[in-house]
Amino acid sequence: NENFLYNRMVPILTKVQDYLTKEEDSRKAVEYLQQELPFLTSKLRLEAQDIVKNADVRIEELEKRKDGKYFITTGFRELDNALMGWQRGEDLVTVMGRTNEGKSWCLLKFLEAAWSAGYRVGLYSGEMSGIQVGFRFDTIYNNFSNTILTKGSQDIEAYREYVKGLKEKNSFFVITPEDMGGNCTVTKLEAFIQKYKLDIVGVDQYSLMDDETFKPGQPLRVK
């Protein structure tokens, strides 16, 4: 159904674009689009939920939530008070900010908090290597100075003891573009989530992912 709609929509949108750019006739573009929309709309697969007749599913959901693991802590008390944490299977959270203002640190803090709470955690790191992410994790989790770790002047024996104890904890998975064959796509990210059965995944950052559905000749805004 997705492929069918896509194949029918592309020529329609191309013709609309021609009206707008080549003929500079917005009225024709609108009229043509209105003419084609009913057919496209009729092909949509729509399945509504009857929240009255099927209210029993909410009883099942309440039973699932009794274990207290529906919300994943954010790692910040103020956020947990306001949001109750991240809702499993529901929340898509985007952190926006200028360069070097701490977005990656915040993301890693979110994930470290989930990891500390026993969840299976994954991170796609588009810029930093696994080693760099690991050093930042050490800073957040065990208060090592990130500057000292980066410079290589950390007391090796103290760090060795820390790593020995760390290996007894649950896993924290990091994947980079190199691990994905040079680029990250939604399909590869889904495969990463499924393979490691992740409860929560961080993406650092969206702009470093590739759109596998993008086709040559399409406007860049589509990508």
Side-chain angles (χ1 to χ4, degrees), residues 14-32:
T14 300
K15 191 166 183 178
V16 169
Q17 186 179 25
D18 287 343
Y19 279 132
L20 293 173
T21 57
K22 295 179 181 178
E23 299 188 28
E24 297 184 353
D25 194 330
S26 298
R27 180 170 296 181
K28 279 188 179 180
V30 172
E31 290 174 351
Y32 174 71

Side-chain angles (χ1 to χ4, degrees), residues 8-221:
R8 290 302 300 264
M9 284 183 67
V10 169
I12 292 173
L13 294 178
T14 300
K15 191 166 183 178
V16 169
Q17 186 179 25
D18 287 343
Y19 279 132
L20 293 173
T21 57
K22 295 179 181 178
E23 299 188 28
E24 297 184 353
D25 194 330
S26 298
R27 180 170 296 181
K28 279 188 179 180
V30 172
E31 290 174 351
Y32 174 71
L33 191 57
Q34 287 177 325
Q35 171 189 320
E36 297 294 332
L37 274 178
F39 172 77
L40 294 174
T41 303
S42 70
K43 299 302 179 181
L44 291 175
R45 288 181 179 174
L46 301 175
E47 291 290 339
Q49 300 180 48
D50 188 333
I51 62 172
V52 173
K53 300 296 185 183
N54 297 324
D56 287 347
V57 299
R58 297 200 290 281
I59 297 175
E60 298 172 9
E61 186 63 27
L62 282 176
E63 290 289 345
K64 292 178 183 178
R65 297 188 185 192
K66 281 184 177 179
D67 62 5
K69 291 187 175 181
Y70 180 69
F71 288 96
I72 300 176
T73 178
T74 67
F76 294 92
R77 185 178 64 254
E78 297 84 357
L79 271 179
D80 283 344
N81 289 341
L83 306 175
M84 295 184 286
W86 311 130
Q87 296 185 60
R88 295 184 64 179
E90 296 285 346
D91 280 342
L92 170 62
V93 180
T94 301
V95 178
M96 300 179 66
R98 299 180 189 278
T99 303
N100 295 323
E101 287 197 340
K103 299 184 298 298
S104 296
W105 280 104
C106 281
L107 174 59
L108 196 54
K109 173 60 180 176
F110 294 151
L111 297 178
E112 183 274 333
W115 172 84
S116 292
Y119 292 98
R120 295 181 66 82
V121 174
L123 169 67
Y124 164 65
S125 177
E127 290 183 315
M128 291 188 292
S129 67
I131 293 291
Q132 287 178 294
V133 173
F135 281 151
R136 288 195 174 196
F137 171 85
D138 298 332
T139 297
I140 293 171
Y141 177 61
N142 204 62
N143 295 319
F144 284 109
S145 165
N146 194 252
T147 301
I148 290 176
L149 288 173
T150 302
K151 287 182 177 179
S153 51
Q154 172 65 44
D155 176 4
I156 296 296
E157 290 307 314
Y159 191 74
R160 197 186 306 276
E161 284 300 309
Y162 157 74
V163 168
K164 183 179 178 181
L166 191 63
K167 288 184 177 181
E168 298 177 2
K169 307 287 185 180
N170 51 307
S171 297
F172 186 130
F173 302 98
V174 176
I175 196 165
T176 67
E178 183 179 0
D179 301 321
M180 290 182 161
N183 67 334
C184 177
T185 64
V186 172
T187 299
K188 290 180 180 179
L189 200 59
E190 287 176 341
F192 172 51
I193 293 169
Q194 292 171 8
K195 178 176 181 179
Y196 295 102
K197 298 178 174 61
L198 303 178
D199 296 307
I200 184 171
V201 63
V203 176
D204 188 16
Q205 53 191 327
Y206 293 152
S207 62
L208 299 177
M209 294 180 63
D210 286 333
D211 181 1
E212 58 204 316
T213 67
F214 184 75
K215 299 182 183 301
Q218 287 181 303
L220 187 59
R221 64 178 179 274

